[in-house]
Amino acid sequence: MTESMHHRRTHRRAYRLDAILLHLFALLLSAATIVITVIFPHRLDLGWVVVLTGLVLVPSYALGRRLSLGNGHLDTLVLGLPLGFGVHFPLFALAATLHWTPDTWVILASVLSFVVFASTVRARKPNTISRPRISISAGLLILMLLVAVITALSGRDSDDWAYGAYLADTSENLPLMGSDPVLGPDIPVFPRQSLNLWLGVLGAGARATSAPVPIILQDQLPPVLAALAVAAAFLLGTTLGKRPVWGLVTAAVLVLWTTMTPFHSQPGNGLFYRISEDKYAAMLILGPVLFAGLMRLLERLDRRIWIFGLLTGVGIAAVHPFTYVILLIGLWGWAVSLLLTRTASSRSTVLAALGFTVGAVIPLLVHFTMSQVGPVQGSEAYVEIRKTQFENNTGRLWIRGARVIMVHPNMILDPFTLAMLALAVMAPFWKPNVRTLFPAALVITVLLSVFNPLAAPILAETLGVGVIWRFIWLLPVPYAIAAWAGALEPLTPHSRRVLAILVLLIAAGLQLPKAQDSWAHWQRTRAIWKYEPELVSLYQTAAALDPSGYVLAPNLPVGIKIPSFAPDARLVAFRGTQGTVGHMPRSRVEEGIRRVEDLDAFYAVSFGQSIPTDDDLDIIERYRVRLLFLSASDPRLEFFTSHAQVLSHEGSWYLLLLPEISQLRASVDQAG
């Protein structure tokens, strides 16, 4: 036996052993997911980590390895993330439509994950399709840790409490998407969330975790996702620049961009404050992974690129359908630019885009079902909701009268952003290819879509007023330098280091003038929309009860947070007109309006009003209210604490168990 034959046999045995160990590990993860979610729920401090690994990462790695997306375990896993979501969506859609219990879905989903892994992972060495081999450098680890720490210390967004209500229901094994988690068991689930795989996976994770949902959603999950977003940017930057150093520069530019823009609707707010939300996870993690994976497959003209496009499209649409539409438009912009310039791989890009377009079925379904909820267009309630949307987007959009003109130019008019966009547009003039046309095409696509008075109003009506400004996340601000670096290759190692340092110094200099305002804003908003630790026991007391009626609580600051702690609690109204009337079936819009008005009226207490009015009692009777949240400053507090049971008192808030309405009316008559 020759020495080369001996080496080949040794390698084959090593690859076979590697596959066996991977299969065993995947089997253990799938089994562990079932055990800690179904058999022993709410036992582990970080049970969601095991669940997300078993449900998402196992098939992600398997499919990424099958398509040879990476050269190592880490990049294969990250690049396969949207594939993992894509393969799970059909089963989840069936489970959500038929309202299976989360336990049933988790069991079947865990089996599916292992079946995908077992049928795709083979005892063979992954093909080398991209150079250089990706490895975690000290610089990348530092950037990931920095972003994780900033995210952990940052504020949050009010949307956390809307998502938290869904997670809380799933964590208690209530039927998947069986009803609205806040407004009542007789109200259908909001169509936009009815097929939301992100909420399903996180809800299953919450079921396996001992911590309350808000702690998972606001403390534990965001730092991990933020670090993952940096890793995704690094992978795309490395793919564009062909060297890990340019991936590191890309990650550093992302950090510079985001740390200086913590303001609402700006990039830093999305990364540090809102990364646990489906729309930002889809855009900041799955978006870069989509384009990095496509470039790697295009590099070798892999015919399986349509499979990657198909599963990725379905996966991203399953996480957030409207973010999917934004990425779809960006992908087609890139594909068209390659066709127009007759660049090699243009046909393969179109094939991938066609596969990706299959995912459009999900947002189309959501769009049509959304027409069944909320007020009729032109009605008074519709006008009020529309007015609120315009007010909330003031500064983001250029609005004239009741019409959106386009995204406001102020969203991108700063020296750093403009410099990076200019670099992106100029790159193809130096060396037109797949990599340089990518950032240039994204810039042009965004400008023609939402900074165009002809297209922007159509997109605003189709996607929503609060969605179109998010197109700015397609702007390749972190990736322009990597695209240029790829065009300038070959460079000597010394030249690369010098150029990388010079570029980062210039970028830091452009961002430096924002530092003081950004720091001041971040300091002011570090506690915004977070749960108050001192009130957790108050919410948990409400969760321990099984109220026969509704909970009466002011929307702010406590009402919005109750459903995330107390899955069985149902509120009279939630997040005002938009969150209540806008979520009601069209036939019950008037009821939604009444509920908002009743909640506002109950807490609009006149000075000196020491006992409940007849209107107050009517509201309590109408909704069979048993649990009442009352502030210490409410003049009716003395009456209610004398005639109702005080269940808990934390901070300036009281939780009261009300007696029967007849008894309460008698007490009012006696006091009057």
mmCIF file with all atom_site columns, all heavy atoms in Angstrom, residues 470-488:
data_model
loop_
_atom_site.group_PDB
_atom_site.id
_atom_site.type_symbol
_atom_site.label_atom_id
_atom_site.label_alt_id
_atom_site.label_comp_id
_atom_site.label_asym_id
_atom_site.label_entity_id
_atom_site.label_seq_id
_atom_site.pdbx_PDB_ins_code
_atom_site.Cartn_x
_atom_site.Cartn_y
_atom_site.Cartn_z
_atom_site.occupancy
_atom_site.B_iso_or_equiv
_atom_site.pdbx_formal_charge
_atom_site.auth_seq_id
_atom_site.auth_comp_id
_atom_site.auth_asym_id
_atom_site.auth_atom_id
_atom_site.pdbx_PDB_model_num
ATOM 1   N N   . ARG A 1 470 ? -37.979 51.488 6.191  1.00 0.00 ? 470 ARG A N   1
ATOM 2   C CA  . ARG A 1 470 ? -36.998 50.445 6.516  1.00 0.00 ? 470 ARG A CA  1
ATOM 3   C C   . ARG A 1 470 ? -36.180 50.018 5.299  1.00 0.00 ? 470 ARG A C   1
ATOM 4   O O   . ARG A 1 470 ? -35.228 49.248 5.433  1.00 0.00 ? 470 ARG A O   1
ATOM 5   C CB  . ARG A 1 470 ? -37.708 49.229 7.128  1.00 0.00 ? 470 ARG A CB  1
ATOM 6   C CG  . ARG A 1 470 ? -38.368 49.544 8.454  1.00 0.00 ? 470 ARG A CG  1
ATOM 7   C CD  . ARG A 1 470 ? -39.105 48.346 9.013  1.00 0.00 ? 470 ARG A CD  1
ATOM 8   N NE  . ARG A 1 470 ? -40.015 48.749 10.074 1.00 0.00 ? 470 ARG A NE  1
ATOM 9   C CZ  . ARG A 1 470 ? -41.148 48.149 10.366 1.00 0.00 ? 470 ARG A CZ  1
ATOM 10  N NH1 . ARG A 1 470 ? -41.532 47.110 9.647  1.00 0.00 ? 470 ARG A NH1 1
ATOM 11  N NH2 . ARG A 1 470 ? -41.916 48.571 11.356 1.00 0.00 ? 470 ARG A NH2 1
ATOM 12  N N   . PHE A 1 471 ? -36.547 50.487 4.119  1.00 0.00 ? 471 PHE A N   1
ATOM 13  C CA  . PHE A 1 471 ? -35.726 50.222 2.935  1.00 0.00 ? 471 PHE A CA  1
ATOM 14  C C   . PHE A 1 471 ? -34.309 50.763 3.105  1.00 0.00 ? 471 PHE A C   1
ATOM 15  O O   . PHE A 1 471 ? -33.391 50.296 2.429  1.00 0.00 ? 471 PHE A O   1
ATOM 16  C CB  . PHE A 1 471 ? -36.360 50.849 1.693  1.00 0.00 ? 471 PHE A CB  1
ATOM 17  C CG  . PHE A 1 471 ? -37.318 49.949 0.968  1.00 0.00 ? 471 PHE A CG  1
ATOM 18  C CD1 . PHE A 1 471 ? -38.612 49.779 1.424  1.00 0.00 ? 471 PHE A CD1 1
ATOM 19  C CD2 . PHE A 1 471 ? -36.934 49.274 -0.171 1.00 0.00 ? 471 PHE A CD2 1
ATOM 20  C CE1 . PHE A 1 471 ? -39.509 48.961 0.765  1.00 0.00 ? 471 PHE A CE1 1
ATOM 21  C CE2 . PHE A 1 471 ? -37.814 48.442 -0.847 1.00 0.00 ? 471 PHE A CE2 1
ATOM 22  C CZ  . PHE A 1 471 ? -39.113 48.277 -0.377 1.00 0.00 ? 471 PHE A CZ  1
ATOM 23  N N   . ILE A 1 472 ? -34.127 51.747 3.984  1.00 0.00 ? 472 ILE A N   1
ATOM 24  C CA  . ILE A 1 472 ? -32.774 52.285 4.164  1.00 0.00 ? 472 ILE A CA  1
ATOM 25  C C   . ILE A 1 472 ? -31.829 51.230 4.719  1.00 0.00 ? 472 ILE A C   1
ATOM 26  O O   . ILE A 1 472 ? -30.606 51.361 4.604  1.00 0.00 ? 472 ILE A O   1
ATOM 27  C CB  . ILE A 1 472 ? -32.767 53.537 5.064  1.00 0.00 ? 472 ILE A CB  1
ATOM 28  C CG1 . ILE A 1 472 ? -33.217 53.192 6.483  1.00 0.00 ? 472 ILE A CG1 1
ATOM 29  C CG2 . ILE A 1 472 ? -33.618 54.643 4.477  1.00 0.00 ? 472 ILE A CG2 1
ATOM 30  C CD1 . ILE A 1 472 ? -33.021 54.329 7.475  1.00 0.00 ? 472 ILE A CD1 1
ATOM 31  N N   . TRP A 1 473 ? -32.385 50.146 5.308  1.00 0.00 ? 473 TRP A N   1
ATOM 32  C CA  . TRP A 1 473 ? -31.522 49.081 5.793  1.00 0.00 ? 473 TRP A CA  1
ATOM 33  C C   . TRP A 1 473 ? -30.904 48.288 4.646  1.00 0.00 ? 473 TRP A C   1
ATOM 34  O O   . TRP A 1 473 ? -29.955 47.518 4.864  1.00 0.00 ? 473 TRP A O   1
ATOM 35  C CB  . TRP A 1 473 ? -32.314 48.149 6.715  1.00 0.00 ? 473 TRP A CB  1
ATOM 36  C CG  . TRP A 1 473 ? -32.453 48.731 8.080  1.00 0.00 ? 473 TRP A CG  1
ATOM 37  C CD1 . TRP A 1 473 ? -33.512 49.421 8.581  1.00 0.00 ? 473 TRP A CD1 1
ATOM 38  C CD2 . TRP A 1 473 ? -31.475 48.710 9.117  1.00 0.00 ? 473 TRP A CD2 1
ATOM 39  N NE1 . TRP A 1 473 ? -33.258 49.821 9.864  1.00 0.00 ? 473 TRP A NE1 1
ATOM 40  C CE2 . TRP A 1 473 ? -32.009 49.392 10.218 1.00 0.00 ? 473 TRP A CE2 1
ATOM 41  C CE3 . TRP A 1 473 ? -30.193 48.176 9.219  1.00 0.00 ? 473 TRP A CE3 1
ATOM 42  C CZ2 . TRP A 1 473 ? -31.308 49.562 11.412 1.00 0.00 ? 473 TRP A CZ2 1
ATOM 43  C CZ3 . TRP A 1 473 ? -29.500 48.342 10.408 1.00 0.00 ? 473 TRP A CZ3 1
ATOM 44  C CH2 . TRP A 1 473 ? -30.059 49.028 11.487 1.00 0.00 ? 473 TRP A CH2 1
ATOM 45  N N   . LEU A 1 474 ? -31.435 48.452 3.439  1.00 0.00 ? 474 LEU A N   1
ATOM 46  C CA  . LEU A 1 474 ? -30.807 47.816 2.273  1.00 0.00 ? 474 LEU A CA  1
ATOM 47  C C   . LEU A 1 474 ? -29.538 48.555 1.840  1.00 0.00 ? 474 LEU A C   1
ATOM 48  O O   . LEU A 1 474 ? -28.714 47.996 1.109  1.00 0.00 ? 474 LEU A O   1
ATOM 49  C CB  . LEU A 1 474 ? -31.781 47.801 1.095  1.00 0.00 ? 474 LEU A CB  1
ATOM 50  C CG  . LEU A 1 474 ? -32.632 46.553 0.854  1.00 0.00 ? 474 LEU A CG  1
ATOM 51  C CD1 . LEU A 1 474 ? -33.442 46.722 -0.417 1.00 0.00 ? 474 LEU A CD1 1
ATOM 52  C CD2 . LEU A 1 474 ? -31.789 45.301 0.780  1.00 0.00 ? 474 LEU A CD2 1
ATOM 53  N N   . LEU A 1 475 ? -29.417 49.793 2.262  1.00 0.00 ? 475 LEU A N   1
ATOM 54  C CA  . LEU A 1 475 ? -28.254 50.574 1.841  1.00 0.00 ? 475 LEU A CA  1
ATOM 55  C C   . LEU A 1 475 ? -26.975 49.899 2.332  1.00 0.00 ? 475 LEU A C   1
ATOM 56  O O   . LEU A 1 475 ? -26.827 49.619 3.524  1.00 0.00 ? 475 LEU A O   1
ATOM 57  C CB  . LEU A 1 475 ? -28.352 52.003 2.384  1.00 0.00 ? 475 LEU A CB  1
ATOM 58  C CG  . LEU A 1 475 ? -29.504 52.830 1.807  1.00 0.00 ? 475 LEU A CG  1
ATOM 59  C CD1 . LEU A 1 475 ? -29.604 54.178 2.508  1.00 0.00 ? 475 LEU A CD1 1
ATOM 60  C CD2 . LEU A 1 475 ? -29.335 53.033 0.304  1.00 0.00 ? 475 LEU A CD2 1
ATOM 61  N N   . PRO A 1 476 ? -26.027 49.661 1.442  1.00 0.00 ? 476 PRO A N   1
ATOM 62  C CA  . PRO A 1 476 ? -24.840 48.867 1.785  1.00 0.00 ? 476 PRO A CA  1
ATOM 63  C C   . PRO A 1 476 ? -23.745 49.682 2.457  1.00 0.00 ? 476 PRO A C   1
ATOM 64  O O   . PRO A 1 476 ? -22.576 49.588 2.071  1.00 0.00 ? 476 PRO A O   1
ATOM 65  C CB  . PRO A 1 476 ? -24.391 48.353 0.417  1.00 0.00 ? 476 PRO A CB  1
ATOM 66  C CG  . PRO A 1 476 ? -24.771 49.456 -0.517 1.00 0.00 ? 476 PRO A CG  1
ATOM 67  C CD  . PRO A 1 476 ? -26.052 50.031 0.018  1.00 0.00 ? 476 PRO A CD  1
ATOM 68  N N   . VAL A 1 477 ? -24.106 50.469 3.445  1.00 0.00 ? 477 VAL A N   1
ATOM 69  C CA  . VAL A 1 477 ? -23.120 51.319 4.119  1.00 0.00 ? 477 VAL A CA  1
ATOM 70  C C   . VAL A 1 477 ? -21.933 50.507 4.657  1.00 0.00 ? 477 VAL A C   1
ATOM 71  O O   . VAL A 1 477 ? -20.784 50.887 4.451  1.00 0.00 ? 477 VAL A O   1
ATOM 72  C CB  . VAL A 1 477 ? -23.797 52.138 5.235  1.00 0.00 ? 477 VAL A CB  1
ATOM 73  C CG1 . VAL A 1 477 ? -22.762 52.872 6.076  1.00 0.00 ? 477 VAL A CG1 1
ATOM 74  C CG2 . VAL A 1 477 ? -24.788 53.133 4.636  1.00 0.00 ? 477 VAL A CG2 1
ATOM 75  N N   . PRO A 1 478 ? -22.152 49.386 5.348  1.00 0.00 ? 478 PRO A N   1
ATOM 76  C CA  . PRO A 1 478 ? -20.983 48.655 5.867  1.00 0.00 ? 478 PRO A CA  1
ATOM 77  C C   . PRO A 1 478 ? -20.186 47.904 4.796  1.00 0.00 ? 478 PRO A C   1
ATOM 78  O O   . PRO A 1 478 ? -19.067 47.468 5.070  1.00 0.00 ? 478 PRO A O   1
ATOM 79  C CB  . PRO A 1 478 ? -21.615 47.650 6.856  1.00 0.00 ? 478 PRO A CB  1
ATOM 80  C CG  . PRO A 1 478 ? -23.015 48.097 7.070  1.00 0.00 ? 478 PRO A CG  1
ATOM 81  C CD  . PRO A 1 478 ? -23.412 48.783 5.801  1.00 0.00 ? 478 PRO A CD  1
ATOM 82  N N   . TYR A 1 479 ? -20.750 47.734 3.588  1.00 0.00 ? 479 TYR A N   1
ATOM 83  C CA  . TYR A 1 479 ? -20.163 46.810 2.614  1.00 0.00 ? 479 TYR A CA  1
ATOM 84  C C   . TYR A 1 479 ? -19.443 47.484 1.452  1.00 0.00 ? 479 TYR A C   1
ATOM 85  O O   . TYR A 1 479 ? -18.807 46.805 0.644  1.00 0.00 ? 479 TYR A O   1
ATOM 86  C CB  . TYR A 1 479 ? -21.260 45.892 2.061  1.00 0.00 ? 479 TYR A CB  1
ATOM 87  C CG  . TYR A 1 479 ? -22.023 45.207 3.166  1.00 0.00 ? 479 TYR A CG  1
ATOM 88  C CD1 . TYR A 1 479 ? -23.342 45.542 3.447  1.00 0.00 ? 479 TYR A CD1 1
ATOM 89  C CD2 . TYR A 1 479 ? -21.405 44.253 3.952  1.00 0.00 ? 479 TYR A CD2 1
ATOM 90  C CE1 . TYR A 1 479 ? -24.029 44.928 4.481  1.00 0.00 ? 479 TYR A CE1 1
ATOM 91  C CE2 . TYR A 1 479 ? -22.076 43.627 4.990  1.00 0.00 ? 479 TYR A CE2 1
ATOM 92  C CZ  . TYR A 1 479 ? -23.397 43.975 5.252  1.00 0.00 ? 479 TYR A CZ  1
ATOM 93  O OH  . TYR A 1 479 ? -24.064 43.370 6.283  1.00 0.00 ? 479 TYR A OH  1
ATOM 94  N N   . ALA A 1 480 ? -19.537 48.793 1.359  1.00 0.00 ? 480 ALA A N   1
ATOM 95  C CA  . ALA A 1 480 ? -18.924 49.488 0.222  1.00 0.00 ? 480 ALA A CA  1
ATOM 96  C C   . ALA A 1 480 ? -17.413 49.309 0.204  1.00 0.00 ? 480 ALA A C   1
ATOM 97  O O   . ALA A 1 480 ? -16.802 49.076 -0.850 1.00 0.00 ? 480 ALA A O   1
ATOM 98  C CB  . ALA A 1 480 ? -19.292 50.971 0.271  1.00 0.00 ? 480 ALA A CB  1
ATOM 99  N N   . ILE A 1 481 ? -16.782 49.399 1.350  1.00 0.00 ? 481 ILE A N   1
ATOM 100 C CA  . ILE A 1 481 ? -15.320 49.298 1.418  1.00 0.00 ? 481 ILE A CA  1
ATOM 101 C C   . ILE A 1 481 ? -14.862 47.890 1.030  1.00 0.00 ? 481 ILE A C   1
ATOM 102 O O   . ILE A 1 481 ? -13.882 47.719 0.287  1.00 0.00 ? 481 ILE A O   1
ATOM 103 C CB  . ILE A 1 481 ? -14.832 49.659 2.832  1.00 0.00 ? 481 ILE A CB  1
ATOM 104 C CG1 . ILE A 1 481 ? -15.109 51.145 3.103  1.00 0.00 ? 481 ILE A CG1 1
ATOM 105 C CG2 . ILE A 1 481 ? -13.353 49.355 2.983  1.00 0.00 ? 481 ILE A CG2 1
ATOM 106 C CD1 . ILE A 1 481 ? -14.853 51.569 4.526  1.00 0.00 ? 481 ILE A CD1 1
ATOM 107 N N   . ALA A 1 482 ? -15.584 46.869 1.510  1.00 0.00 ? 482 ALA A N   1
ATOM 108 C CA  . ALA A 1 482 ? -15.211 45.492 1.162  1.00 0.00 ? 482 ALA A CA  1
ATOM 109 C C   . ALA A 1 482 ? -15.342 45.252 -0.334 1.00 0.00 ? 482 ALA A C   1
ATOM 110 O O   . ALA A 1 482 ? -14.510 44.553 -0.940 1.00 0.00 ? 482 ALA A O   1
ATOM 111 C CB  . ALA A 1 482 ? -16.093 44.513 1.940  1.00 0.00 ? 482 ALA A CB  1
ATOM 112 N N   . ALA A 1 483 ? -16.368 45.818 -0.961 1.00 0.00 ? 483 ALA A N   1
ATOM 113 C CA  . ALA A 1 483 ? -16.537 45.662 -2.406 1.00 0.00 ? 483 ALA A CA  1
ATOM 114 C C   . ALA A 1 483 ? -15.373 46.303 -3.156 1.00 0.00 ? 483 ALA A C   1
ATOM 115 O O   . ALA A 1 483 ? -14.857 45.742 -4.139 1.00 0.00 ? 483 ALA A O   1
ATOM 116 C CB  . ALA A 1 483 ? -17.860 46.282 -2.843 1.00 0.00 ? 483 ALA A CB  1
ATOM 117 N N   . TRP A 1 484 ? -14.945 47.480 -2.708 1.00 0.00 ? 484 TRP A N   1
ATOM 118 C CA  . TRP A 1 484 ? -13.796 48.140 -3.326 1.00 0.00 ? 484 TRP A CA  1
ATOM 119 C C   . TRP A 1 484 ? -12.521 47.318 -3.121 1.00 0.00 ? 484 TRP A C   1
ATOM 120 O O   . TRP A 1 484 ? -11.690 47.188 -4.024 1.00 0.00 ? 484 TRP A O   1
ATOM 121 C CB  . TRP A 1 484 ? -13.609 49.540 -2.732 1.00 0.00 ? 484 TRP A CB  1
ATOM 122 C CG  . TRP A 1 484 ? -14.232 50.613 -3.566 1.00 0.00 ? 484 TRP A CG  1
ATOM 123 C CD1 . TRP A 1 484 ? -15.416 51.230 -3.371 1.00 0.00 ? 484 TRP A CD1 1
ATOM 124 C CD2 . TRP A 1 484 ? -13.682 51.183 -4.763 1.00 0.00 ? 484 TRP A CD2 1
ATOM 125 N NE1 . TRP A 1 484 ? -15.663 52.156 -4.352 1.00 0.00 ? 484 TRP A NE1 1
ATOM 126 C CE2 . TRP A 1 484 ? -14.611 52.150 -5.224 1.00 0.00 ? 484 TRP A CE2 1
ATOM 127 C CE3 . TRP A 1 484 ? -12.515 50.975 -5.491 1.00 0.00 ? 484 TRP A CE3 1
ATOM 128 C CZ2 . TRP A 1 484 ? -14.391 52.908 -6.370 1.00 0.00 ? 484 TRP A CZ2 1
ATOM 129 C CZ3 . TRP A 1 484 ? -12.300 51.738 -6.640 1.00 0.00 ? 484 TRP A CZ3 1
ATOM 130 C CH2 . TRP A 1 484 ? -13.233 52.679 -7.064 1.00 0.00 ? 484 TRP A CH2 1
ATOM 131 N N   . ALA A 1 485 ? -12.374 46.771 -1.915 1.00 0.00 ? 485 ALA A N   1
ATOM 132 C CA  . ALA A 1 485 ? -11.171 45.978 -1.637 1.00 0.00 ? 485 ALA A CA  1
ATOM 133 C C   . ALA A 1 485 ? -11.091 44.771 -2.559 1.00 0.00 ? 485 ALA A C   1
ATOM 134 O O   . ALA A 1 485 ? -10.012 44.420 -3.054 1.00 0.00 ? 485 ALA A O   1
ATOM 135 C CB  . ALA A 1 485 ? -11.180 45.535 -0.177 1.00 0.00 ? 485 ALA A CB  1
ATOM 136 N N   . GLY A 1 486 ? -12.244 44.127 -2.796 1.00 0.00 ? 486 GLY A N   1
ATOM 137 C CA  . GLY A 1 486 ? -12.254 43.005 -3.717 1.00 0.00 ? 486 GLY A CA  1
ATOM 138 C C   . GLY A 1 486 ? -11.881 43.413 -5.127 1.00 0.00 ? 486 GLY A C   1
ATOM 139 O O   . GLY A 1 486 ? -11.215 42.660 -5.849 1.00 0.00 ? 486 GLY A O   1
ATOM 140 N N   . ALA A 1 487 ? -12.301 44.618 -5.519 1.00 0.00 ? 487 ALA A N   1
ATOM 141 C CA  . ALA A 1 487 ? -11.984 45.112 -6.866 1.00 0.00 ? 487 ALA A CA  1
ATOM 142 C C   . ALA A 1 487 ? -10.509 45.479 -7.005 1.00 0.00 ? 487 ALA A C   1
ATOM 143 O O   . ALA A 1 487 ? -9.952  45.426 -8.102 1.00 0.00 ? 487 ALA A O   1
ATOM 144 C CB  . ALA A 1 487 ? -12.858 46.327 -7.183 1.00 0.00 ? 487 ALA A CB  1
ATOM 145 N N   . LEU A 1 488 ? -9.861  45.860 -5.893 1.00 0.00 ? 488 LEU A N   1
ATOM 146 C CA  . LEU A 1 488 ? -8.458  46.292 -5.942 1.00 0.00 ? 488 LEU A CA  1
ATOM 147 C C   . LEU A 1 488 ? -7.469  45.135 -5.809 1.00 0.00 ? 488 LEU A C   1
ATOM 148 O O   . LEU A 1 488 ? -6.259  45.349 -5.920 1.00 0.00 ? 488 LEU A O   1
ATOM 149 C CB  . LEU A 1 488 ? -8.187  47.310 -4.826 1.00 0.00 ? 488 LEU A CB  1
ATOM 150 C CG  . LEU A 1 488 ? -8.900  48.656 -4.955 1.00 0.00 ? 488 LEU A CG  1
ATOM 151 C CD1 . LEU A 1 488 ? -8.679  49.491 -3.704 1.00 0.00 ? 488 LEU A CD1 1
ATOM 152 C CD2 . LEU A 1 488 ? -8.416  49.407 -6.193 1.00 0.00 ? 488 LEU A CD2 1
#
